[in-house]
Amino acid sequence: MKIKASALAAKLFKAQVAVVFPTDELNKDGETVYATARFIGHFRAVPVSDAQADMDKLKELRNSGDHVGMIGVEAKRLEQCFVGFEPLPGQDFPVTDDNDQPLANTPENIKVLLNSREVRDAVRKTFEAARSADVLEKNLQK
């Protein structure tokens, strides 16, 4: 496999994101029906120095009991990491705009997506899984 030096330096990568969200439907037992929307997320790894600064800030905020501040730091980091999106091959992007058109990959729409707790949690989970030591170690063994 070849990789562009610029992508390696910026640590850009893609990973499939699966967003599970509640619908307005109930099953025969009266329980909420959940649906899944899948797409390809574009990610950028945060430089070690930035990650360390964020961890230090989170520790400080946790110690002071500032949970709102902690949410802000985590949201900022996610905005730095999640840099784009595209549909799965052969499919439309599963999220639409107000005109029922697939959502365009723009900085504004990235923020719109991250405003949803379900999307934000799915993006964070995907990023962390792709960057986990277990995944990186398995790749080294291939």
Side-chain angles (χ1 to χ4, degrees):
M1 175 179 199
K2 293 182 181 182
I3 186 168
K4 290 184 172 129
S6 59
L8 184 60
K11 297 176 186 79
L12 299 174
F13 64 95
K14 295 179 182 181
Q16 186 178 142
V17 178
V19 181
V20 178
F21 58 94
T23 69
D24 60 357
E25 299 177 28
L26 299 175
N27 66 18
K28 62 182 168 90
D29 297 324
E31 299 167 333
T32 302
V33 173
Y34 289 83
T36 303
R38 297 178 189 279
F39 61 89
I40 304 298
H42 300 195
F43 296 92
R44 178 182 75 88
V46 176
V48 173
S49 59
D50 290 355
Q52 184 61 51
D54 286 348
M55 294 304 292
D56 292 344
K57 183 68 175 171
L58 282 171
K59 183 178 178 181
E60 176 184 316
L61 292 168
R62 185 179 325 113
N63 290 342
S64 69
D66 185 353
H67 299 289
V68 173
M70 290 173 63
I71 291 169
V73 170
E74 290 176 350
K76 180 183 169 221
R77 182 188 302 169
L78 201 53
E79 286 180 6
Q80 291 173 331
C81 298
F82 183 57
V83 296
F85 55 87
E86 65 186 76
L88 291 174
Q91 297 183 17
D92 286 335
F93 192 73
V95 181
T96 63
D97 61 19
D98 291 337
N99 297 317
D100 289 328
Q101 297 300 309
L103 201 62
N105 181 10
T106 67
E108 295 81 20
N109 285 338
I110 291 170
K111 288 182 181 186
V112 167
L113 287 175
L114 291 176
N115 196 41
S116 160
R117 178 181 179 194
E118 290 84 5
V119 173
R120 192 172 53 251
D121 289 350
V123 166
R124 181 181 7 263
K125 180 179 175 183
T126 301
F127 177 81
E128 289 172 356
R131 299 290 298 159
S132 77
D134 291 342
V135 171
L136 298 175
E137 185 64 30
K138 286 178 187 176
N139 284 342
L140 290 175
Q141 294 174 5
K142 290 183 180 181

